[in-house]
Structures are given as structure tokens and as C-alpha cells.
Amino acid sequence: MNHENTALWIWLQLAFGVGSPLPWQIYENFPGGLEEFYSLGPRGWRTMRFLTPKQMTKLCYKSLDEAKYSLEYALKMGWQMLTPECERYPQALRFIPDPPAVLYVKGWMPDLNDSPCIAVVGARDALPLSIQTASRVGYECAAWDAVLITGGAVGVDSAAIAGALQASGTAISVLPVDLSSSYLLRNMTLRTRILENGGALITEYLSQDSPARGGFQLRNRLITGMCHAAVLIQAALKSGTMIYGRHAADQGRELFVAAGPENAVEFAGSRALLEDGARPFTKVQDIVMEYEMREAMGSFLQQPEKGKVKKSASKGKRPSTPVEKTPVPAPMLKDSGCKEELGELETVIAQFAAEEKTLDELLETTGMDTGNLLRLLTQLEMLGRVECLPGNRYRIKES
């Protein structure tokens, strides 16, 4: 990492504030990058019509020395810092209107440029049905080698993370505060598990102990911005969750919405998004296979209409032929001595007969805990034995 360049990015972020598109615009429009811009100094900056007097004042008020001090502090804390000049900076963020100047990372940031990334978002005050759906989606993300991106609040976020971790998946929690904030104590155990399992906590904030006004909206644009598709679970008509739909549309991201009980007010926003063109969510496998196909065609992320986009110097390529990450089939489970798991799979299959079953009905008839049942249902889906329907309903898949 070039610390001098990183300090320049921190300087611009300190001057213009988190979420400002100006650092990226400056980087894009100066052949010599931020170094050339900085070397012009106040006299040169005053000739630039795109800078307002207020922005000029902020540039002069914030010094590069202050940015270097911030850099040293982050390094002492053991945080990674990703700027648009870093190879591991998420490629997808270069395609949003306001890419972050600096991302502070605790843990290990996976290479999002070479993996399907799925955002899971939804209500904090989630219904049991939504908690079950979020847990299943998180588990399926892990099963299909997709990186889960979410916030980390109670409700849908936490359920999705727990589902992913149960399957040893990778999760990224995007925060509206800094990495040492006391705000994080509210869900510390889950965040610790994310780090222990090879995931990461990330934020734009170097110093922000509690969420600032508008901080959640700024954070939410990163959650949808880093993903290739977003799954929304439970949104009331007038709720903060609906903001994700707007971000996804502005950023050109595919939005999938999990349908809830008909006429339930907790899902009124979900129904509105579906009526407005969002896609019904069924299973993660569909999203991953579409990602593989479109990535092979080079068409998943589209360049914005205005301005040019700098691409990562060495973006990894996925195989041109989609590869199914299918769990070991049932016969091999039996041959390898996993008779107990094979028996559990057959127990689940036996519950269906000819009709559909809800997750609650299956929990009652099998006597299994939710996590184990979701794991087995996911395996049966991938083996082509069972299919998931809207509303957390399942049925035997017709051959």
C-alpha cells in the first residue's frame, strides 16, 4: 500500500466528508491523480469551477498532516485501508455515483472482484417468518460460495449472518460508525464470529462513535453498491428498508424481494417493490448461476453513462463455464459413512407426501432445530429433490 497516496485520499475524505463524490471526480479528471491536484495548492484550486467557495474553505482547513496522523492511527489499530487505487478495492463500487474515498477494514477483506456478492437486507423488527428466510438465504450464500454483505443490526441482518456462519461462509458487515465504536457492543458476539470465520467489518468512518444524521443512508449505498444482487426481506411501506430499493435502482443492481404473507402490513413495501419491477426471490442458486453466466459475458456491471471508470489493474476472471458448487450427493454420503445425515435427509423428504409444507410445519413434524432443518433443505434443493416456493414453503420437485 502506498501510504502517501492513502494519506491524500484520507485528506479529501476529511475535507469533503463521507459520501462525497468529489474525491473520485478529482482522481478521474487529473492525469496526475491526487498528487497533481494537491500540488496545485489553494491558488490553483480557486480556478476550478466545480469547487464551491465552501468546499474550497474545507480543502484549506484540512491539512495533509492531519490525514497522515489519521493514517498512522489506523495502522496502529491494525486496520486495512482501501482506496480506489488499491487492487482489492471492490470493483463494483467504481460503478456507483459516489464511490467511497477510503474504506477502513477490520478482519480479512475477501476479494470481492472474483466472487458473487449478495446483499441481504431487511427489517430490524422482523417476523419469525422473515428471520427464517434470512437465515436460509445466509446459509445458501455460504453453500454457493457467495459473499454475504449486510449491515449487522438485529433482525434480518443478524439472522442472515448467523445462517452464513453456520455453513462456514464469509460475511461482511458494513457499519455506520467507526471500527472501535461503543455502538458495536450491542451485537459484539456476532461481529466477533464474523472475524473468526474469515470475514470483515468495514466502514467509511475513521472516527464516528454513534451513527450520524443520514449515516445509515450513506452506509446502505455501500451494501447495495458492493453486491451483484440484493435480497430484501420484509419492508413496510414507510420504512428505512425501502431506501435499499432506491439505492439498488440508482446503482443498476438487481433487486430480489422475498414475498411475505398476503396483505400483511409488514410486507406492504415489499409488495410495492415487486409491483415496481423487483424480482421475486426463490433461492440463492438462481442468483449465483445468473452471476456466473453474465460474468462470463462481461456484462454484470455496466459503466455509468457519465464519466469514465478506472478498472482494477488486475481484476480476476471466473471460469467461462458455470461450475455448480453442489454438495456431495446422497449416495456418496452413504458410501462415506455419513449414514446419520442421509437418514436426516430422508426424514425431511418423508414429510412432504404430495403437498406443500411450510417451514413451521416441517419444524413441527421433524422435531429438528431451525438451523439443522434449513441446512438439510438447502442440500435437498441442490440435489434437485425439493424446491423452495415464496413464503418459505417447500415441495417435492417434479422430475
Side-chain angles (χ1 to χ4, degrees), residues 121-127 131 154-157 233-235 241:
V121 298
R124 292 169 180 256
D125 188 16
L127 299 177
I131 295 295
V154 296
V156 165
D157 293 4
I233 302 169
Q234 188 181 325
T241 306

Side-chain angles (χ1 to χ4, degrees), residues 152-154 157-163 165 187-196 201:
V154 296
D157 293 4
S158 294
I161 293 171
L165 295 179
N187 213 349
M188 181 57 71
T189 301
L190 196 63
R191 292 188 173 96
T192 300
R193 290 181 60 205
I194 289 173
L195 299 177
E196 291 174 346
L201 310 178

Side-chain angles (χ1 to χ4, degrees), residues 343-357:
E344 288 181 324
L345 289 169
E346 294 302 333
T347 296
V348 175
I349 282 287
Q351 308 306 312
F352 286 93
E355 72 266 18
E356 299 172 3
K357 294 283 187 178

Side-chain angles (χ1 to χ4, degrees), residues 131-132 135-136 139 162-163 166-167 340 344 347-348 358-378 394:
I131 295 295
Q132 293 167 359
S135 180
R136 175 173 70 87
Y139 190 95
Q166 185 180 30
E340 181 180 349
E344 288 181 324
T347 296
V348 175
T358 66
L359 184 61
D360 286 336
E361 288 172 336
L362 290 171
L363 286 169
E364 183 177 350
T365 56
T366 62
M368 296 178 180
D369 63 81
T370 304
N372 191 38
L373 180 58
L374 287 169
R375 176 179 62 81
L376 295 168
L377 285 168
T378 298
Y394 297 84

Side-chain angles (χ1 to χ4, degrees), residues 107-166:
W108 175 247
M109 184 74 164
D111 187 357
L112 304 187
N113 299 332
D114 197 33
S115 300
C117 303
I118 298 176
V120 179
V121 298
R124 292 169 180 256
D125 188 16
L127 299 177
L129 171 67
S130 300
I131 295 295
Q132 293 167 359
T133 301
S135 180
R136 175 173 70 87
V137 175
Y139 190 95
E140 289 181 4
C141 282
W144 286 94
D145 287 344
V147 177
L148 169 70
I149 302 173
T150 189
V154 296
V156 165
D157 293 4
S158 294
I161 293 171
L165 295 179
Q166 185 180 30

Side-chain angles (χ1 to χ4, degrees), residues 65-331:
D65 285 341
E66 183 178 350
K68 289 179 178 178
Y69 176 81
S70 298
L71 172 64
E72 290 176 7
Y73 171 77
L75 290 172
K76 286 179 180 178
M77 295 296 292
W79 301 338
Q80 300 175 57
M81 283 158 285
L82 300 180
T83 74
E85 294 185 78
C86 296
E87 189 174 301
R88 294 184 74 84
Y89 185 88
Q91 175 76 6
L93 288 179
R94 303 172 192 275
F95 291 80
I96 69 174
D98 42 13
V102 186
L103 289 175
Y104 298 94
V105 182
K106 184 175 183 179
W108 175 247
M109 184 74 164
D111 187 357
L112 304 187
N113 299 332
D114 197 33
S115 300
C117 303
I118 298 176
V120 179
V121 298
R124 292 169 180 256
D125 188 16
L127 299 177
L129 171 67
S130 300
I131 295 295
Q132 293 167 359
T133 301
S135 180
R136 175 173 70 87
V137 175
Y139 190 95
E140 289 181 4
C141 282
W144 286 94
D145 287 344
V147 177
L148 169 70
I149 302 173
T150 189
V154 296
V156 165
D157 293 4
S158 294
I161 293 171
L165 295 179
Q166 185 180 30
S168 300
T170 302
I172 292 177
S173 176
V174 188
L175 309 174
V177 292
D178 67 68
L179 294 171
S180 59
S181 167
S182 58
Y183 178 82
L184 304 183
L185 295 174
R186 303 179 189 181
N187 213 349
M188 181 57 71
T189 301
L190 196 63
R191 292 188 173 96
T192 300
R193 290 181 60 205
I194 289 173
L195 299 177
E196 291 174 346
N197 215 57
L201 310 178
I202 72 171
T203 182
E204 283 182 275
Y205 296 96
L206 175 69
S207 178
Q208 185 70 43
D209 189 60
S210 58
R213 183 177 181 182
F216 283 104
Q217 292 190 34
L218 289 172
R219 186 279 308 270
N220 293 353
R221 89 188 195 287
L222 298 184
I223 293 176
T224 53
M226 285 194 293
C227 77
H228 298 100
V231 178
L232 186 146
I233 302 169
Q234 188 181 325
L237 194 57
K238 294 182 179 180
S239 66
T241 306
M242 292 292 286
I243 296 172
Y244 287 106
R246 190 186 73 227
H247 283 314
D250 291 344
Q251 297 166 345
R253 301 296 187 263
E254 200 76 67
L255 180 65
F256 293 80
V257 176
E262 189 175 355
N263 299 323
V265 294
E266 294 90 348
F267 289 84
S270 302
R271 291 192 294 273
L273 289 169
L274 287 167
E275 291 171 2
D276 200 36
R279 296 170 62 175
F281 172 77
T282 53
K283 55 184 180 293
V284 168
Q285 178 185 358
D286 296 338
I287 300 174
V288 173
M289 299 314 292
E290 182 172 336
Y291 165 85
E292 296 279 1
M293 179 185 68
R294 293 176 64 181
E295 180 74 356
M297 298 170 61
S299 62
F300 213 108
L301 294 173
Q302 300 295 329
Q303 184 170 328
E305 294 181 3
K306 296 181 180 181
K308 56 183 180 178
V309 175
K310 284 186 183 290
K311 294 188 177 181
S312 176
S314 58
K315 181 180 182 298
K317 294 293 182 182
R318 297 183 64 80
S320 57
T321 303
V323 178
E324 287 201 17
K325 303 164 183 65
T326 310
V328 183

